[in-house]
Structure formats: C-alpha cells, structure tokens
Amino acid sequence: MALSVVIMAAGKGTRMRSARPKVLHALGGRPLLGHVVATAEALAPQRCIVVTGHGAEAVEAAFAGAQRAFVRQMPQLGTGHAVQQAVPALPDDGITLVLNGDVPLIREATLRALVEACAGSKLALLTVDLAEPFGYGRIVRTAEPGGAKGHAGGAVQAIVEEKDATPLQRQISEVYTGILAAPTALLKQWLARLTNQNAQGEYYLTDVVAHAVADGVEVCTASAKDETEVLGVNSPLQLADLERRLQRRHADALMEAGVRLADPARFDLRGTLACGMDVEIDVGCVFEGAVTIGDGARIGPHCVIRDAQIAAGAVIHPFTHIEGAAVGAGSLIGPFARLRPGARLGEEVHIGNFVEVKNSTLANGAKANHLAYLGDATVGERVNYGAGSITANYDGANKHRTTIGADVHVGSNCVLVAPVTIGAGATIGGGSTITKTVEPGSLAIGRARQVAFANWERPKKRPK
Ligand code: UD1
Ligand code: CA
C-alpha cells in the first residue's frame, strides 16, 4: 500500500533559546531533521512532505532534495494544523505516517511495525511507557476488568495532553510519542473536524484519536523498543542527553565488534567509523565524516580525526588532528601533529610533534619528526626532513610544488622555496634556503658563510 510520510518541523522550539530553528541543531554531527528524514526515506515512501514554518527558508535550504516536498505552516497553530497543511499534497488512498522533526532517533524497524499495525484500516499510535510521563500526551484506555492500572489494558479512547489532563489521567504512564500511522482518507476526514477548544487553544493532532473512536475505527498501538528512540528534543539539556545516548549506541556497537574503547563515555562519533580487528581508541577522541581504521591501529587520547583512512598498525599519538588524509600501515603520527587534506602517507612514515602536512605525498619510511611544514610536496622513500624545515609553497599569489627524491636528508631549519626539486640522495645543509634544483647525490648549502673575529670584545656597561 502506498506510503506517504509527513514530518512536522514548523515549531519554534522556544526552549532551545536559539536563533537557529530547532530541527537544524546537530545531534551526532547531523541536524535533528536529518536523522528523521534519513529514517523516513529508508522506508521508501511514495512521498515525503516536510512541514516548515519557523525558520522555513533555512530548513528548506538545508534539506532540499529530489524526493522531498515542503509545505509551509504560517502561523503555527498546533500539530493538527501542521498536518492539515500537508493534506493537499496527500493522495486519497494509502497510509500516512506522521513523524516529529524533533524525535531524531526513531528506528526504521519501529516505523515499519507501526505501518504494519495500521494495516491500511486502523489508526496506529506509537506509544511508550515512561517512568516520568510529565509533559507528554497520555493514552486513555477503557478500564478493563482486572486491568492492573485501571486506565491501562483496554481499548484506546483518546490522547489527553498534559495541560488538559485530570490529576488521575496524569498518573497514566503510557504516553504518545508524537508518531502515528493512519489510512490517509480517514486521516483527512478527522483533520477536517479538529477544533482548538483546549487549554492551549491549538489544533491538536492527537484529537484524531477521539474522532476515530467516534467513527468506530479501531485504534491500535505499537510500542517503541526503548525510550531513547522516542525521546524528543525541546531544550539544550535534552539535546545533550540524547547526544550521550546516541554516542553510547555507537560505542556499544563498536565494542561489540571488538574495538577497545578506553571509556565509552568519552567517545564521540559524528559520522561513520569502520574499524578492523584489535583497534584501540583512547579517551576524548572525536571522529567526523567517514573514517576507517585498520587492524591493530591505536589512537591516542584527544585526537580529532575527520574523513581519514588509517591503515593497519598505525599509531596516532595524543592530540593529533587528521583531516582528509591517509596514513599508511605502521606509521607513527604525533603527538600534536596535524595532517591536513591531501596528506597521503605511505608505510612506516613518522610524523612527529608540531609537524603539519598538507596536500603532500610521503613515500614509505619518510620521516619529519619535529616542528616542520610540508605543503604541496612529493617526498620520496626514507627521506629525513629536519626540525624547523618548511616548504615555502606559496609566493603570495600561487601555490607551487616541492619534489624531494628518495633518501634525501634535509637538515634543520631549511626553507625549500617552491617550485624546486631535490634529487635523490642529496643532502641539504642545515639553515639553507634552497631556490634552485639540487642534483642527486650532491650537498647543497644555501646560507651566509660563517665568519669569525678573533679576540672579540663584547660591549661593556657604561659606569653610572
Ligand atoms: C506532542 C503531542 C504529545 C506527545 C508529544 C511527544 C500534540 C498535541 N501533542 O506534544 O501528545 O506526547 O508530542 O513528543 O500533538 N509542530 C509544528 N507545528 C505546530 C506545532 C508543532 O510543525 O504548529 C511540530 C514541532 O516542530 C515538533 C512537533 O510538531 O516537531 C511536536 O510539537 P511540540 O510542540 O513539541 O509538541 P509537544 O507539546 O511535545
Ligand atoms: Ca516536543
């Protein structure tokens, strides 16, 4: 049966106290709405309609996509009013699944079960039992003889919002998650009948339940696997809480796959991380974008690694930044190293403290162990690049390449002024400024000659 998805994302998010629309706040490095849209699209619906309002332009710009349509809700008169705006864009047959743009961790399997429960004829509500149900809409059921909680157990009669609930109803622990599935034709009829006669003067989507009951349409419920997947984000506090829960999910999945995390509570993944066997990750690391780590590699504490491939056996020492780079097998990087986009390191390469590498290829066994810069360089095998040496790759207008052949030894404090080529096996004396080609096997020295003045007398302090 054809499936349509409506995602409500028009609300103001007052409690975020932010100029940014709530659904654009990031969770796990991705906007809240991005999580919901991705899960919705995994269901391969016929259409996906996002209801925007507050900050509509920014939200629409962030999520423009081929299979998505946006409808505007201006002003925002409640969740029922939000879905009403999508009605013209919905076909008359099939099932409509309504999602909350601020409930980001909902699982695809849970949504499939909900749509299945709807079966094209019932109103299906996703509910969850919460120890602290405050603030949520409560599921009111007919009392069943022998029903343990009085209100629980029987057929669903209505959803009552916190602000409209009686003290007895507020004790109900079964709450509405903000997610439902309904036959589209019936949903349209119920939406047309909503009023705003309630404590908040809003058009509540939740009132469709009472209309379904009045029409004799069965209301069924499906429940979420755990509460994390149905928690909403309304405040920075809740956002941070959900972030930790999401990170714990990531950490658990990695540890189940054999990755050894020093502390799952001090681990952050804002993208994807694929690890081989016997990978160890120390505390405080942040992984962004797409990162892969090979067998036996170790990541020291407090590294930030984004869009990178770290090959087997590599060791990344503490406080290293890696972005858009590839680290070869058995290489040693850091501490305090910075690999920038386009850094391509072969096997057993050593990059030490305060060394920056950008858009450069280093062949197997090359070493730059201290305080150096390699930008736009091609570095041969076993090159030893001394402390304080840099490639002067930028003339103020254009970037130029430096080519360093195999087995070159660059002394300390050298400036290689690009474009320049150093032939294989050459040696560059310390403190040299190299502006011309250096022939293979030669020694090049480009610095002022040392002069000496014998018996030199230092200036003396004038008497007072
Ligand atoms: C809603 C439910 C409540 C449920 C809770 C679960 C209603 C009336 N109440 O309450 O039963 O327990 O979710 O989290 O539906 N939105 C719009 N336009 C509007 C108002 C809201 O698009 O005019 C969007 C918001 O951006 C948000 C979602 O709808 O994504 C939910 O709105 P919110 O105001 O947070 O509803 P709750 O009070 O949490
Ligand atoms: Ca909410």
Side-chain angles (χ1 to χ4, degrees):
M1 197 172 281
L3 179 69
S4 306
V5 175
V6 176
I7 303 176
M8 297 184 292
K12 185 142 187 266
T14 313
R15 280 172 287 168
M16 290 303 291
R17 299 187 184 280
S18 166
R20 198 188 306 170
K22 178 165 76 174
V23 292
L24 294 186
H25 281 268
L27 176 78
R30 180 189 222 186
L32 294 174
L33 186 57
H35 291 267
V36 182
V37 164
T39 309
E41 288 179 353
L43 301 170
Q46 208 162 63
R47 57 188 69 60
C48 181
I49 300 157
V50 182
V51 183
T52 58
H54 187 76
E57 269 121 44
V59 176
E60 290 168 15
F63 287 95
Q67 325 94 307
R68 289 166 217 155
F70 297 96
V71 297
R72 294 247 177 127
Q73 183 199 16
M74 300 281 192
Q76 293 92 47
L77 304 179
T79 51
H81 182 250
V83 182
Q84 280 172 353
Q85 310 313 305
V87 163
L90 292 171
D92 283 322
D93 56 351
I95 294 175
T96 296
L97 173 66
V98 179
L99 301 177
N100 246 334
D102 65 354
V103 180
L105 297 185
I106 189 69
R107 273 182 232 258
E108 186 191 330
T110 302
L111 296 180
R112 284 191 190 283
L114 186 72
V115 170
E116 223 163 83
C118 161
S121 62
K122 300 175 208 167
L123 171 58
L125 307 175
L126 187 68
T127 71
V128 67
D129 260 310
L130 289 185
E132 285 170 40
F134 179 83
Y136 286 87
R138 308 298 205 285
I139 305 294
V140 178
R141 293 175 183 268
T142 53
E144 234 182 22
K149 294 179 201 159
H151 285 272
V156 175
Q157 291 300 107
I159 299 175
V160 180
E161 292 302 299
E162 175 80 34
K163 288 186 176 138
D164 301 287
T166 64
L168 200 64
Q169 287 170 333
R170 286 187 182 146
Q171 288 173 23
I172 299 171
S173 59
E174 187 186 10
V175 307
Y176 172 57
T177 60
I179 295 170
L180 61 77
T184 306
L186 292 176
L187 181 65
K188 286 186 178 185
Q189 292 175 21
W190 300 328
L191 287 170
R193 286 193 236 155
L194 296 181
T195 69
N196 61 354
Q197 307 301 302
N198 52 54
Q200 301 184 84
E202 287 183 3
Y203 295 89
Y204 291 166
L205 176 63
T206 44
D207 284 349
V208 300
V209 175
H211 292 300
V213 171
D215 285 356
V217 174
E218 191 183 330
V219 182
C220 63
T221 58
S223 51
K225 194 171 150 227
D226 60 48
E227 65 171 36
T228 298
E229 66 171 319
V230 295
L231 287 177
V233 173
N234 300 297
S235 66
L237 204 99
Q238 289 175 334
L239 181 60
D241 173 51
L242 219 55
E243 179 75 34
R244 285 340 301 163
R245 289 170 186 252
L246 173 63
Q247 293 305 338
R248 186 67 212 212
R249 265 195 199 176
H250 289 324
D252 288 356
L254 285 164
M255 290 187 295
E256 272 157 30
V259 176
R260 293 196 287 286
L261 297 181
D263 182 358
R266 285 180 288 170
F267 167 81
D268 285 270
L269 173 56
R270 300 171 191 158
T272 58
L273 176 59
C275 293
M277 221 193 231
D278 287 313
V279 167
E280 292 178 28
I281 299 174
D282 214 322
V283 299
C285 293
V286 178
F287 297 91
E288 301 180 319
V291 176
T292 61
I293 304 178
D295 293 348
R298 298 202 320 261
I299 314 294
H302 305 292
C303 293
V304 178
I305 302 181
R306 178 189 184 89
D307 293 320
Q309 300 88 48
I310 315 258
V315 179
I316 313 297
H317 289 297
F319 299 101
T320 290
H321 283 222
I322 300 179
E323 181 183 359
V327 174
S331 290
L332 307 179
I333 314 295
F336 300 103
R338 181 166 184 218
L339 303 184
R340 291 171 53 201
R344 298 269 168 274
L345 315 188
E347 295 175 12
E348 314 267 337
V349 167
H350 293 187
I351 299 294
N353 44 195
F354 308 107
V355 174
E356 175 179 345
V357 181
K358 184 218 77 172
N359 191 31
S360 293
T361 305
L362 277 73
N364 297 348
K367 292 182 176 67
N369 271 325
H370 331 265
L371 303 155
Y373 175 58
L374 280 162
D376 304 306
T378 304
V379 179
E381 295 188 355
R382 298 172 299 279
V383 164
N384 196 314
Y385 194 76
S389 291
I390 68 153
T391 53
N393 56 325
Y394 185 53
D395 58 14
N398 298 297
K399 302 271 172 66
H400 302 282
R401 269 203 101 70
T402 300
T403 304
I404 305 175
D407 300 298
V408 164
H409 184 103
V410 177
S412 295
N413 245 30
C414 294
V415 179
L416 309 181
V417 183
V420 73
T421 298
I422 320 275
T427 302
I428 310 294
S432 291
T433 296
I434 299 296
T435 57
K436 292 189 275 245
T437 301
V438 175
E439 293 305 324
S442 63
L443 166 66
I445 301 172
R447 65 187 183 220
R449 250 177 212 286
Q450 184 168 325
V451 291
F453 301 92
N455 305 318
W456 172 251
E457 274 203 27
R458 284 198 293 265
K460 293 203 173 61
K461 253 195 200 321
R462 239 182 258 122
K464 283 209 178 119

